[in-house]
Amino acid sequence: MRKAVQLLFAGLFVLLLFASAQPYLVLAPDLFLQASPLLALGTALAARTLNILLLPALVLLAIAAVAGRVFCAWVCPLGTLFDLCKKRQSQPR
């Protein structure tokens, strides 16, 4: 189940990456950035206000407080790449 979710989010990330170059873009290309708790914290501190577009990051932060490193393990494309590289390293040559 986890691998399927990881591949889904990695595919969504690649889709958003390529779609951001299109002028008729319907989805926000910074969708993954809006879910970043670190970006939300930095923006809130710099602007001294809470931006409503960064609200998904607060939801992820609340989930992480309860369930641990959910974002890195399930959603983050970099976490998916780390898992794939770790599997390739552990295979015998």
Side-chain angles (χ1 to χ4, degrees):
M1 177 72 175
R2 178 176 165 211
K3 295 296 176 196
V5 172
Q6 282 181 317
L7 289 175
L8 174 78
F9 278 109
L12 179 63
F13 179 77
V14 171
L15 176 73
L16 288 174
L17 180 69
F18 287 116
S20 65
Q22 304 302 322
Y24 52 85
L25 181 67
V26 177
L27 294 173
D30 62 345
L31 190 62
F32 273 92
L33 291 176
Q34 290 177 7
S36 170
L38 183 60
L39 182 66
L41 179 64
T43 303
L45 289 175
R48 295 186 181 164
T49 183
L50 182 62
N51 190 344
I52 193 74
L53 292 176
L54 296 173
L55 197 57
L58 295 177
V59 172
L60 272 176
L61 208 60
I63 291 172
V66 174
R69 297 183 331 188
V70 174
F71 182 79
C72 293
W74 289 71
V75 178
C76 180
L78 189 59
T80 303
L81 287 176
F82 285 155
D83 286 349
L84 291 174
C85 290
K86 186 172 71 171
K87 282 187 179 181
R88 290 192 57 99
Q89 258 185 348
S90 64
Q91 290 178 353
R93 294 181 188 192

